[in-house]
């Protein structure tokens, strides 16, 4: 094959798809593929290797994934050195999905494309691709979910299922894509422990792909990543993730008449779903107490807990849990210097544990944070005992009867935007309510899934936040500094 054509295909995945694979692309697919070869503006020899595709339904994202894996394997992207040695080196890429059917779709598309069997409709005509590198295919193992290529490379398609990607143990990949990642039961855990670690050898690419889904278990975390990436893009800075979005109407391979008919039917029958399906918008689940925006609006972009300041007022809030299973003991420290701008600045949690150890930690935090008042859950016998054992701190009790009020106060503090954007520092731009915090994954998870009538869900972190809101409502006015206007006094 002509060396200039090979070089052009390596530099441009759109050229590779159209000229080598014989596939036509829509606008979203072109943007998606180009995102895989974007370079960092300050270092032209380094690529942006973390990308999110947040799209509407049916934009052609899985076809794009199949093409991207063929392209990565064909050129063994990320490898450097002598060409003959690269040709012999082992190379593997991976596409995963929590949905088994979705994982096999990319596998099927790759097979069809490389065998000139991929078909689509465009402008009223039916096309079948004419692949010029059919020789690149050498075989498949459908049971293992692996396609083998002629240059000692392989493309894997696997379902993560319920094992959080544990089946990937021991393997390293130059490129991992995660299709419909919003359906994961625990996306954040998988990313850190299971996926990033599988690209360590090659410092490989990671692509997250999904249509927002209010029923998706990882919808809140997906929204969190999206908001961070969106803000970085709007501010024209390089964030942790590069963001590519796609609209249903960009898929010209669905005839215009079909698209318009589908949108009309969708808007009439399921109007609440229209924005999600057609525009890829994030919707809230009707049975959740805290909306996506309310939860995301808590985070103030601080990287972690804050240090104690001698001129600030604090409160220590404890939700006890001593069982080896079930809720944790969670301790939170709130900065209540200004009750209109309360901040959760420190948290500590432990599953089970010796009661003496738990009380020692609570005591330490009380003394550390300027002899802060102590508030604790005393709804059950365990809480009553803890209260008696810590009576020297004169703890304030929070009982089961206070819970409804506490949740109302929490809603009000999270929703009540009393801060103006013009007055915010860069660390506060995303936290707009009266109660804010550094990013805490467990708190995010519990808030986003919280239901009043669900006794099975964990709620220890939510209750610490609710107790903090209750304390501010009941006792905050006593701490609020009084301001006197002295202008009249000096005028006489």
């Amino acid at each position: 094959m002509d060396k200039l054509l090979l070089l052009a295909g390596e530099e441009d995945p759109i050229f590779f798809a159209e000229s080598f694979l014989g596939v036509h692309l829509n606008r979203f697919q072109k943007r998606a593929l180009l995102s895989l070869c974007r370079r960092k503006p300050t270092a032209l020899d380094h690529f942006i290797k973390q990308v999110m595709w947040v799209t509407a339904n049916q934009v052609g994202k899985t076809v794009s994934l199949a093409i991207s894996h063929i392209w990565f394997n064909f050129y063994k992207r990320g490898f450097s050195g002598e060409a003959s040695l690269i040709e012999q080196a082992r190379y593997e890429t991976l596409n995963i999905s929590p949905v088994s059917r979705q994982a096999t779709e990319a596998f099927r598309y790759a097979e069809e494309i490389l065998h000139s069997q991929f078909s689509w409709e465009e402008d009223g005509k039916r096309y079948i691709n004419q692949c010029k590198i059919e020789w690149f295919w050498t075989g498949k193992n459908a049971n293992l979910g692996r396609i083998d290529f002629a240059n000692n490379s392989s493309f894997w398609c696997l379902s993560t299922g319920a094992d959080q990607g544990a089946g990937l143990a021991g393997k390293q990949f130059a490129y991992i894509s995660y299709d419909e990642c919003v359906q994961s039961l625990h996306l954040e855990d998988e990313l850190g422990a299971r996926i990033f670690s599988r690209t360590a050898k090659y410092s490989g690419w990671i692509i997250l792909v999904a249509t927002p889904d209010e029923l998706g278990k990882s919808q809140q975390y997906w929204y969190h990543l999206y908001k961070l990436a969106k803000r970085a893009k709007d501010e024209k800075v390089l964030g942790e993730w590069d963001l590519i979005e796609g609209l249903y109407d960009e898929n010209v391979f669905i005839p215009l008449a079909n698209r318009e008919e589908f949108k009309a039917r969708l808007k009439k029958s399921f109007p609440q779903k229209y924005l999600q399906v057609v525009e890829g918008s994030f919707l809230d689940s009707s049975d959740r107490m805290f909306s996506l925006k309310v939860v995301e609006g808590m985070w103030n972009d601080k990287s972690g807990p804050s240090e104690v300041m001698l001129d600030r007022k604090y409160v220590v809030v404890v939700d006890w849990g001593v069982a080896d299973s079930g809720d944790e003991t969670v301790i939170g420290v709130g900065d209540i210097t200004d009750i209109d701008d309360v901040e959760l600045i420190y948290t500590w949690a432990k599953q089970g544990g010796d009661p003496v150890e738990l009380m020692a930690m609570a005591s330490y935090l009380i003394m550390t944070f300027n002899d802060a008042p102590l508030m604790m859950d005393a709804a059950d016998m365990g809480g009553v005992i803890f209260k008696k054992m810590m009576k020297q701190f004169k703890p304030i009790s929070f009982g089961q009867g206070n819970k409804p009020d506490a949740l109302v106060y929490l809603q009000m503090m999270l929703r009540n935007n009393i801060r103006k954007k013009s007055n915010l520092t860069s660390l506060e731009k995303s936290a707009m309510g009266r109660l804010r915090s550094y990013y805490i994954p467990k708190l995010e998870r519990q808030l986003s899934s919280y239901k009043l009538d669900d006794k099975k869900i964990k709620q220890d972190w939510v209750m610490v936040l609710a107790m903090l809101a209750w304390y501010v409502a009941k006792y905050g006015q006593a701490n609020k500094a009084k301001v006197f206007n002295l202008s009249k006094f000096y005028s006489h």
Side-chain angles (χ1 to χ4, degrees):
M1 187 174 285
D2 186 276
K3 288 186 178 181
L4 289 178
L5 289 177
L6 283 172
L7 182 60
E10 184 174 11
E11 292 294 321
D12 185 352
I14 297 175
F15 180 81
F16 176 81
E18 294 178 340
S19 299
F20 285 50
L21 304 179
V23 174
H24 291 191
L25 303 171
N26 63 40
R27 286 181 297 170
F28 160 74
Q29 291 173 319
K30 291 178 180 180
R31 290 198 307 275
L33 290 174
L34 284 178
S35 71
L36 304 181
C37 58
R38 281 189 59 196
R39 290 177 169 85
K40 294 181 180 179
T42 55
L44 295 180
D45 58 335
H46 287 82
F47 292 93
I48 298 172
K49 294 183 176 180
Q50 293 176 205
V51 185
M52 297 173 63
W53 297 352
V54 182
T55 76
N57 287 85
Q58 292 299 308
V59 297
K61 55 185 181 291
T62 306
V63 172
S64 303
L65 287 177
I67 292 170
S68 71
H69 281 275
I70 296 172
W71 180 57
F72 266 81
N73 280 282
F74 188 81
Y75 289 105
K76 292 187 173 178
R77 291 185 59 77
F79 275 16
S80 59
E82 188 177 330
S84 61
L85 296 179
I86 291 176
E87 181 72 17
Q88 298 174 46
R90 184 71 183 140
Y91 185 94
E92 295 175 291
T93 67
L94 171 69
N95 178 63
I96 56 177
S97 175
V99 184
S100 177
R101 177 191 55 78
Q102 195 66 30
T104 59
E105 280 291 282
F107 186 99
R108 178 176 65 84
Y109 283 136
E111 182 174 11
E112 289 181 356
I113 289 169
L114 286 171
H115 286 85
S116 298
Q117 296 172 352
F118 180 70
S119 175
W120 71 93
E121 184 179 347
E122 186 176 2
D123 296 329
K125 296 181 180 179
R126 174 62 57 180
Y127 295 87
I128 296 181
N129 76 304
Q130 296 298 314
C131 180
K132 296 180 180 178
I133 57 169
E134 289 190 16
W135 53 266
F136 188 54
W137 172 283
T138 60
K140 69 175 182 178
N141 187 321
N143 292 328
L144 293 178
R146 188 186 72 211
I147 295 174
D148 295 319
F149 301 119
N151 61 350
N152 196 26
S153 66
S154 296
F155 169 37
W156 293 79
C157 285
L158 302 173
S159 170
T160 57
D163 70 350
Q164 301 185 44
L168 309 179
K171 279 202 164 291
Q172 287 288 305
F173 302 92
Y175 167 36
I176 296 179
S177 60
Y178 199 165
D179 199 1
E180 294 302 341
C181 60
V182 73
Q183 303 299 336
S184 166
L185 297 177
H186 14 239
L187 176 59
E188 184 181 17
D189 294 338
E190 288 180 327
L191 268 182
R194 306 292 186 182
I195 295 176
F196 270 85
S197 62
R198 304 298 174 242
T199 63
K201 183 176 181 179
Y202 308 110
S203 185
W205 280 256
I206 296 174
I207 314 299
L208 301 181
V209 183
T211 296
D213 183 349
E214 77 275 17
L215 300 180
K217 298 297 185 182
S218 291
Q219 171 87 330
Q220 187 71 52
Y221 184 63
W222 186 230
Y223 182 67
H224 175 66
L225 292 180
Y226 168 78
K227 291 297 290 184
L228 291 177
K230 181 72 170 175
R231 191 174 66 181
K233 191 171 185 177
D234 291 344
E235 295 176 356
K236 296 181 172 56
V237 298
L238 188 61
E240 184 179 351
W241 293 88
D242 193 17
L243 175 64
I244 302 296
E245 298 179 85
L247 305 175
Y248 171 71
D249 277 323
E250 290 186 286
N251 194 349
V252 295
F253 306 129
I254 301 175
L256 177 60
N258 289 1
R259 277 182 276 141
E260 293 300 323
E261 179 189 352
F262 171 75
K263 288 192 296 181
R265 288 166 49 207
L266 181 66
K267 185 174 287 188
K268 182 178 180 180
S269 302
F270 304 98
Q272 71 279 9
K273 284 280 192 177
Y274 184 87
L275 291 178
Q276 176 179 294
V277 174
V278 175
E279 298 183 11
S281 299
F282 285 83
L283 304 180
D284 288 307
S285 177
S286 59
D287 63 346
R288 301 294 195 271
M289 185 171 184
F290 302 98
S291 70
L292 288 167
K293 291 181 180 179
V294 163
V295 177
E296 183 59 25
M298 276 193 60
W299 318 125
N300 57 16
D301 291 349
K302 290 185 179 180
S303 58
S306 301
E307 297 290 334
V308 63
M309 298 177 66
L310 295 180
D311 61 339
R312 309 293 290 182
K313 296 179 180 178
Y314 304 98
V315 62
V316 174
V317 181
V318 185
D319 184 41
W320 303 107
V322 295
D324 290 334
S325 60
D327 286 350
E328 300 174 297
T329 288
V330 180
I331 305 177
V333 179
D335 183 334
I336 56 170
T337 309
D338 181 354
I339 63 169
D340 288 328
D341 189 8
V342 177
E343 184 178 0
L344 184 64
I345 66 163
Y346 184 91
T347 58
W348 181 88
K350 187 176 181 64
Q351 185 76 57
D354 185 340
V356 175
E357 176 193 5
L358 302 178
M359 289 188 292
M361 186 63 190
S363 302
Y364 167 76
L365 292 175
I366 290 168
M367 292 183 286
T368 298
F369 287 91
N370 302 340
D371 292 323
L374 170 64
M375 179 181 175
M376 66 171 66
D377 176 16
D380 55 24
M381 182 60 69
V384 172
I385 293 173
F386 276 115
K387 181 181 178 181
K388 290 180 177 179
M389 296 181 71
M390 300 189 73
K391 62 182 179 180
Q392 71 272 27
F393 295 110
K394 299 179 181 179
I396 299 169
S397 297
F398 180 86
Q400 191 65 30
N402 303 127
K403 182 176 177 180
D405 286 345
L407 290 170
V408 171
Y409 294 140
L410 178 57
Q411 281 277 26
M412 291 170 61
M413 291 192 73
L414 293 179
R415 291 177 179 274
N416 188 2
N417 178 6
I418 49 79
R419 292 153 15 108
K420 296 180 180 178
K421 279 190 176 183
S422 59
N423 296 332
L424 298 181
T425 67
S426 60
L427 287 177
E428 298 170 326
K429 284 182 179 178
S430 64
M432 298 301 294
R434 290 178 55 208
L435 176 56
R436 55 200 173 98
S437 171
Y438 64 98
Y439 180 64
I440 306 172
K442 284 187 177 180
L443 177 56
E444 177 192 61
R445 235 175 274 147
Q446 290 189 14
L447 277 173
S448 64
S449 61
Y450 189 82
K451 304 176 186 178
L452 282 174
D453 58 348
D454 193 339
K455 305 299 182 183
K456 297 179 181 178
I457 62 172
K458 290 182 177 293
Q459 51 181 276
D460 39 6
W461 286 83
V462 176
M463 291 317 301
V464 162
L465 204 64
M467 284 193 285
L468 175 57
W470 186 83
Y471 179 89
V472 170
K474 295 293 184 181
Y475 300 93
Q477 288 296 334
N479 293 322
K480 191 171 184 179
K482 292 181 173 61
V483 178
F484 299 94
N485 188 344
L486 299 180
S487 58
K488 292 184 179 180
F489 175 80
Y490 285 111
S491 65
H492 292 290

